[in-house]
């Protein structure tokens, strides 16, 4: 398990999250997709729910229990999940890491 204790800024978290997403996208041949804070998981990256489950596992492996993706998603309705951006997840991760630092 790789737990980073100092990576609580958005740029660092975005870079790590982008790496995780690129790994997922490689399976679909989309590993050259540009990932920014405004990138949406559904429309831009075309990720399915199974991909989000895989991402959840990667987040847990990397950040430990401090970042709970299931809780993050559970607080949203379907439309919010469909419209979810990378930036929203980055801000959640940063807040979670700072809250447990």
């Amino acid at each position: 398990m790789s737990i980073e204790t100092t990576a609580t800024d958005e740029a660092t978290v975005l870079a790590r999250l982008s790496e995780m997403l690129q790994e997922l996208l490689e399976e679909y041949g989309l590993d050259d997709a540009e990932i920014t804070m405004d990138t949406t998981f559904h429309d831009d990256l075309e990720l399915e729910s199974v991909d989000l489950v895989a991402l959840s596992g990667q987040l847990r492996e990397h950040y430990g229990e401090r970042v709970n993706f299931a809780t993050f998603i559970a607080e949203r309705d379907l439309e919010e999940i469909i419209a979810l951006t990378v930036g929203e997840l980055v801000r959640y991760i940063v807040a979670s890491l700072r809250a447990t630092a």
Side-chain angles (χ1 to χ4, degrees):
M1 181 184 304
S2 167
I3 298 178
E4 294 182 20
T5 56
T6 58
T8 57
D9 64 278
E10 287 184 4
T12 303
V13 172
L14 175 60
R16 182 62 194 120
L17 182 57
S18 293
E19 291 172 10
M20 292 178 190
L21 289 169
Q22 293 293 353
E23 289 175 23
L24 284 175
L25 294 171
E26 279 180 11
E27 296 176 22
Y28 303 112
L30 301 171
D31 53 325
D32 61 345
E34 181 181 357
I35 298 172
T36 68
M37 294 288 276
D38 295 324
T39 302
T40 62
F41 290 96
H42 183 266
D43 290 342
D44 295 329
L45 301 178
E46 300 179 9
L47 295 182
E48 302 289 334
S49 58
V50 68
D51 300 312
L52 295 179
V53 171
L55 178 61
S56 176
Q58 287 183 312
L59 291 170
R60 172 176 250 117
E61 184 178 316
H62 189 73
Y63 294 110
E65 299 297 319
R66 299 180 302 163
V67 176
N68 189 328
F69 186 74
T71 299
F72 173 70
I73 289 293
E75 295 172 350
R76 286 157 174 70
D77 63 30
L78 183 58
E79 289 83 24
E80 291 174 314
I81 293 169
I82 290 171
L84 184 67
T85 66
V86 170
E88 290 174 275
L89 181 55
V90 166
R91 287 186 286 278
Y92 169 76
I93 293 169
V94 169
S96 296
L97 294 175
R98 289 181 178 164
T100 59

